[in-house]
Amino acid sequence: GFFQSYAVEVDIKDASNATCLYADWMMRFLITYESNNGDYKTTTLNLSSNVTHNGSVCGNDTQAALVAVQFGEGHSWSINITKNNETYQGDFITLTYNTNDTAVFPDAKRKGPVTVLVKDPSSPIQLNTVFVCHNSFVIEAENTTQTFWNVTMQAFVQNGTVSKKESRCPADTPTSAPTSTPTVPPTVANVTTASTTTLSPATTTAPKPVENPDTGNYSLKIGNKTCFLATVGLQLNVSHDKPLLININPKTTIADGACGNTTATLKLNDGNSTLIGF
C-alpha cells in the first residue's frame, strides 16, 4: 500500500544569510519491532507535516556539515557530510525512532527512543555539484529499511547559489542491454540486480581456473525463531578493467538483515567488506 509522506526542504544560511547547505527530499521508514506478546511486527514511519531542522549546520573545511530533522512524536533523522579536497560525501546516517509513539508502535515491548547508525553508501560528489535522485533507493540496517526518493542535495554551496550541475544517482541512470540479451522483468525499484556476462576465452593464455565456492549456511532469527534460511555457494564475476572472480568465504562471512510481514532481507558481509543483499 501507499502511505502519505511529506517532502522535507532544508535551506541553511551562513552568517551572511547566504545558502550554504540545501536539501529537498522525501523518505519513509519500515521498522521491525517486538510487541508485548513476543511477536515481531513491521510498521511504517512517515514524515509528518510538522518537520523541524534544529541543529543543522553549514560545515567547513574542518567541520562536517549536518542535515538534521525532527518529526512526529520524538522521531529524528540526520546525515553528516564531510568535505575532502574537491568532493563532499555523506558520512553517517542516524535514525532515532521513539516507540512511545503509540500511533506507530501501538504495542511495542521496548519503550523509548531507539537509535540506528548506518554508513552512507553514496559515492563522493564533486564540489559545486548538486546530487539528484528521483527514483527510490534504500538503506537497510538493524531491522530498519530507509527509503528515499525525489532527492536534491548540495553541501558546501558556493556563493550562496545551488549549482545547476547535477550528479545523478545510479537509480536514475538507465541501463541498456544488447538486443540479443533477454529483457529481465523489473523488480522493486530499490534493488540492484547484478548482470551476468559471458566472457570469451582469451586467445593467448588461458585464465587460471577458480575453484567452486564453498557452501555456506546462513540464517536470520526473530527472537528465537528462524525466519530466513539460505544454503548457498557464492561467486562474484566482476567485469571492469579485466574479469575478476571472487569466492565468498562462508567462514568469514557474517549474516545480517531483517524479516518483515511481506519482505525479508539477508545481507552477507565478508571480512573484505563485500556486501551482498538478497
Side-chain angles (χ1 to χ4, degrees), residues 98-239:
N98 185 9
T99 58
N100 286 327
D101 185 352
T102 56
V104 182
F105 307 95
D107 55 351
K109 181 177 181 179
R110 178 181 177 180
K111 298 297 183 180
V114 180
T115 298
V116 177
L117 183 69
V118 60
K119 181 74 174 175
D120 182 6
S122 302
S123 300
I125 308 297
Q126 290 292 318
L127 291 175
N128 200 31
T129 302
V130 59
F131 173 76
V132 176
C133 192
H134 296 305
N135 288 296
S136 63
F137 63 96
V138 302
I139 298 175
E140 297 177 315
E142 300 180 32
N143 294 332
T144 66
T145 300
Q146 305 182 38
T147 304
F148 306 89
W149 70 101
N150 288 348
V151 178
T152 300
M153 186 190 73
Q154 183 180 351
F156 308 101
V157 175
Q158 300 177 10
N159 301 320
T161 304
V162 177
S163 175
K164 296 185 181 301
K165 181 181 178 182
E166 295 183 354
S167 174
R168 301 299 288 266
C169 65
D172 283 1
T173 305
T175 56
S176 58
T179 55
S180 59
T181 302
T183 301
V184 180
T187 56
V188 180
N190 51 39
V191 176
T192 301
T193 304
S195 61
T196 303
T197 305
T198 302
L199 301 175
S200 301
T203 56
T204 53
T205 58
K208 182 180 179 180
V210 176
E211 296 180 356
N212 289 332
D214 294 333
T215 300
N217 296 304
Y218 310 102
S219 64
L220 300 177
K221 288 188 176 182
I222 295 180
N224 59 359
K225 298 179 181 179
T226 299
C227 63
F228 198 125
L229 283 173
T231 300
V232 59
L234 292 169
Q235 182 181 90
L236 303 183
N237 184 338
V238 183
S239 298

Side-chain angles (χ1 to χ4, degrees), residues 5-8 46-51 70-73:
S5 188
Y6 293 87
V8 185
N46 291 292
L47 293 180
S48 62
S49 58
N50 184 19
V51 178
Q70 304 82 36
F71 59 97
E73 300 296 326

